[in-house]
Amino acid sequence: KFEKIWLTFGIGTLLVFLTTVGVGAFYMGTQPASCLVTIDPEKVRETAPFDNPGLRHIEGNKYELNIVTSAFAFTPNQIQIPKGAEVVINVTTTDVVHGFQVAGTNINMMVHPGYINTYTQKFDKTGEYLILCNEYCGAGHHLMSAKIEVV
Ligand code: CUA
């Protein structure tokens, strides 16, 4: 009888421990400081700046690039950026978690529904850069790609 009590207590303690670690890891690990801005995922396409996604000139060499991810596409999926541009990239999703990785750069974000992820990147080299989704998001995950052309 006592064994049963101790066993229950042991399992209970283990569960509390695992939950604490799990919850901690979730909030610390998967919510980078850059996704503090929130957005209603269902209203992304009606909410500025995502109602008119793409590259926008701010001033001088400063640009803003707004990207919408959804199963299974990036909008827009062809982007031209002038060489030397400093681009603030904002990414959000209309549905599930997607990835936003630009091959050949340090840009690698996890895009959570309800949040806007931001990353600033200077494009100094001309060429083509592949944008990939690196989070499994469903049957069409492998089809999800886009292209940045620095000219
Ligand atoms: Cu989107 Cu994988």
Side-chain angles (χ1 to χ4, degrees), residues 48-95:
F50 300 102
D51 55 345
N52 185 19
L55 192 71
R56 202 164 72 186
H57 186 220
I58 306 296
E59 51 161 2
N61 72 331
K62 300 215 185 319
Y63 290 79
E64 186 182 86
L65 175 61
N66 301 301
I67 303 266
V68 177
T69 64
S70 57
F72 302 98
F74 295 97
T75 312
N77 65 4
Q78 300 277 333
I79 303 128
Q80 269 206 0
I81 297 175
K83 185 187 165 190
E86 193 180 296
V87 185
V88 176
I89 304 168
N90 302 309
V91 189
T92 193
T93 166
T94 63
D95 41 44

Side-chain angles (χ1 to χ4, degrees), residues 16-39:
V16 169
F17 173 74
L18 287 177
T19 308
T20 310
V21 170
V23 169
F26 181 79
Y27 283 109
M28 311 284 282
T30 65
Q31 297 288 343
S34 66
C35 54
L36 291 172
V37 185
T38 55
I39 186 166

Side-chain angles (χ1 to χ4, degrees), residues 98 133 135-137 141 144:
H98 295 282
C133 177
E135 292 293 329
Y136 182 75
C137 52
H141 164 70
M144 219 175 141

